[in-house]
Amino acid sequence: MKKMIVRCFVVIAALCVVSCTQSTSTHNSQEFVRVDGQHFYVGDKPYRYVGANMWYGAYLGSPGATGDRERLIRELDVLAEHGITNLRVLAASESSDLMRAVRPAMVNNIQGELDNDLLLGMDFLLAEMAKRDMKAVLYLNNFWQWSGGMSQYVAWFTGTEVLDPDVTGKWNPFMDNSARFYRIERAQQLYRKVIRTIVTRTNSITGQAYNDDPTIMSWQLANEPRPGSDADGRVHFDDFVRWIDDTAGYIKTLAPKQLVSTGNEGAMGTLGDAELFETSHASPNVDYLTFHMWIKNWSWFDITKPEQTYDSAVTTAKRYLSEHVAIAERLNKPIVLEEFGVERDNGAYDHGTPVSYRDRFYDMVYDVIEDNVAAGGPFVGSNFWAWGGFGETDRADYMWQKGDDFFGDPPQEAQGLNSVFADDKSTLDVIADHAKRLPEL
């Protein structure tokens, strides 16, 4: 009943909204997102958003071999048509021998030389996003192996192996090895060099410096940075907290008009401990909280046994959502659920196969966000994982190889695992309905 009432209101309000969309868009595109207490603002208006993860945006925007600017424009148009106004994008990848790492990479070597085609690709992406009044969250590293990431920094400066989990099958040693990154001074120096080069870059298309571009909402330290494995990561926790505070503070000196976030998964990405998540994100240099939610990866839901596991997974998910909203309230900061996803029914990968449980789960998440927004809470937005757009593959194992189309699923996962494609009409309808309701709450 609640949703029916809200939808009726939205239909009535839409007449007014459509008439002022163009002027509002022009106004917003010239202003930075800022934080005031538990909320985002653009100018004097609250800023809440429906977003997507599109890690490969700079790759599609490239004039080089990975690029397909026509596809990128089509994808941005589809996203905008469905009310998606925020994209979370990979801004730095590292050249690596890791088996499933994306190729090419943004950072070519230990000297910090960057791939010019991918930089031009980011220029193009940001310019096109600005035309559609979209905002970007750009992450500058990765805890995981699929873009080189922290493990590659460790290998560069210690000469040790990366302990590739796609080769060994062992995740805890990989995670604890990656967490060494936080205390290797030379690795931090290179990381800051990369940050400085990207954050202070001037866009070759718009002529605007990145750190003076309101299209960029937030600089993010990394994708899913963790202290280490749940088994042995506590020894790295103090280094992790120090790294968050120091790095976020450094970015603020370079980009004082833009926000800084961590990209952390929440309690599940902080040794499974909500108190440690809160402690590590109390820094005044962290403008808002992020968290992720993976009901399959965390063994809450089994897509092959949906009737037996879905209801309990939703109960656990709602508890996880509430737990993190409470932390945001205590820290008096906004919070974003910037990754969540569910596989297609029965774990299928193909376009056109059913997505009934995904749609139900997205709808549940959006209901929780809307209820919190309506109550004046700190929930300000979400980014589903992940946008796959017009990606296609003919590989029998669905695994990415260099030269293949990019999907929302990164190279270490089956292409189609969690991707929302441009022809996933039912899911796009769920997202669009949420995008219509959210501004009116």
Side-chain angles (χ1 to χ4, degrees):
M1 180 62 71
K2 177 203 76 174
K3 193 174 290 185
M4 290 176 64
I5 293 170
V6 172
R7 283 173 176 160
C8 288
F9 176 78
V10 168
V11 170
I12 296 170
L15 297 174
C16 171
V17 171
V18 169
S19 68
C20 63
T21 297
Q22 186 172 358
S23 61
T24 301
S25 175
T26 301
H27 175 72
N28 286 351
S29 67
Q30 301 304 313
E31 296 192 64
F32 291 88
V33 179
R34 62 181 178 86
V35 170
D36 187 350
Q38 297 179 17
H39 300 110
F40 286 159
Y41 288 86
V42 173
D44 60 355
K45 295 182 180 180
Y47 173 67
R48 308 182 188 100
Y49 66 83
V50 182
N53 280 272
M54 188 182 182
W55 69 265
Y56 57 85
Y59 282 76
L60 274 194
S62 167
T66 71
D68 187 341
R69 290 183 170 181
E70 181 182 357
R71 175 185 164 189
L72 178 58
I73 288 171
R74 291 170 63 209
E75 297 203 352
L76 292 177
D77 285 343
V78 173
L79 291 165
E81 287 167 8
H82 290 85
I84 295 163
T85 60
N86 186 289
L87 299 180
R88 182 169 176 258
V89 179
L90 175 71
S93 52
E94 291 73 36
S95 181
S96 175
D97 291 331
L98 286 153
M99 185 172 75
R100 294 294 182 188
V102 65
R103 294 171 175 81
M106 179 73 80
V107 184
N108 289 324
N109 50 42
I110 198 171
Q111 286 76 38
E113 296 173 348
L114 302 187
D115 185 291
N116 191 57
D117 282 344
L118 292 179
L119 289 172
L120 293 172
M122 186 65 76
D123 292 349
F124 185 84
L125 171 69
L126 292 172
E128 291 297 319
M129 289 179 65
K131 293 177 184 178
R132 296 160 178 81
D133 196 21
M134 291 178 166
K135 302 290 187 186
V137 176
L138 303 181
Y139 50 101
L140 296 157
N141 207 323
N142 196 349
F143 188 75
W144 304 113
Q145 78 280 22
W146 59 267
S147 65
M150 296 179 186
S151 57
Q152 184 57 48
Y153 275 94
V154 172
W156 275 336
F157 291 103
T158 65
T160 57
E161 295 182 11
V162 290
L163 304 180
D164 190 343
D166 290 307
V167 175
T168 67
K170 297 178 180 179
W171 286 93
N172 282 354
F174 166 79
M175 286 189 276
D176 291 317
N177 182 61
S178 293
R180 297 168 64 194
F181 166 76
Y182 305 125
R183 62 177 183 270
I184 298 174
E185 182 58 31
R186 292 178 64 204
Q188 294 305 308
Q189 290 171 1
L190 175 58
Y191 174 51
R192 290 194 176 200
K193 178 182 178 181
V194 170
I195 290 173
R196 184 174 62 253
T197 301
I198 295 173
V199 171
T200 63
R201 175 177 172 79
T202 296
N203 191 309
S204 62
I205 296 172
T206 66
Q208 194 165 33
Y210 278 23
N211 57 4
D212 200 32
D213 184 356
T215 304
I216 300 172
M217 181 185 94
S218 175
W219 297 103
Q220 199 160 87
L221 307 191
N223 177 57
E224 298 193 333
R226 291 185 170 196
S229 71
D230 290 354
D232 299 303
R234 284 185 181 267
V235 297
H236 308 294
F237 183 70
D238 289 344
D239 294 320
F240 177 67
V241 174
R242 188 181 309 110
W243 172 79
I244 287 176
D245 184 53
D246 289 350
T247 310
Y250 175 67
I251 294 173
K252 281 188 167 297
T253 67
L254 300 173
K257 298 177 184 179
Q258 293 158 330
L259 305 182
V260 179
S261 52
T262 67
N264 182 259
E265 299 152 273
M268 290 295 285
T270 318
L271 309 177
D273 190 323
E275 289 186 8
L276 294 181
F277 169 71
E278 184 170 347
T279 298
S280 59
H281 287 73
S283 166
N285 293 323
V286 175
D287 291 303
Y288 65 97
L289 305 184
T290 64
F291 72 123
H292 302 177
M293 187 166 65
W294 287 103
I295 61 173
K296 177 255 180 108
N297 295 358
W298 299 342
S299 301
W300 301 350
F301 176 59
D302 185 343
I303 193 67
T304 67
K305 301 176 182 177
E307 294 183 2
Q308 299 96 312
T309 59
Y310 182 74
D311 288 345
S312 62
V314 166
T315 298
T316 304
K318 286 183 175 180
R319 186 165 58 244
Y320 193 72
L321 292 165
S322 296
E323 178 181 46
H324 288 78
V325 167
I327 293 170
E329 290 172 342
R330 288 195 294 272
L331 293 179
N332 194 34
K333 295 184 180 185
I335 191 166
V336 174
L337 178 64
E338 63 173 21
E339 282 191 23
F340 63 98
V342 175
E343 294 169 85
R344 310 181 85 88
D345 293 359
N346 298 314
Y349 305 135
D350 287 335
H351 290 230
T353 51
V355 288
S356 59
Y357 281 94
R358 174 184 294 172
D359 291 352
R360 287 173 62 183
F361 187 69
Y362 276 34
D363 211 24
M364 182 278 294
V365 168
Y366 291 148
D367 273 351
V368 169
I369 293 172
E370 290 167 23
D371 287 345
N372 186 263
V373 168
F379 236 136
V380 290
S382 63
N383 299 76
F384 67 84
W385 185 280
W387 178 246
F390 295 98
E392 298 279 357
T393 185
D394 58 4
R395 297 197 182 279
D397 64 358
Y398 292 90
M399 296 306 294
W400 184 86
Q401 294 184 28
K402 185 177 179 181
D404 288 355
D405 282 359
F406 293 110
F407 282 57
D409 309 289
Q412 94 283 9
E413 294 178 336
Q415 303 296 280
L417 179 67
N418 291 298
S419 283
V420 176
F421 296 110
D423 57 4
D424 279 331
K425 183 179 185 303
S426 63
T427 304
L428 288 172
D429 285 347
V430 170
I431 295 166
D433 285 348
H434 174 54
K436 292 173 184 175
R437 295 190 300 267
L438 191 62
E440 305 304 327
L441 295 175

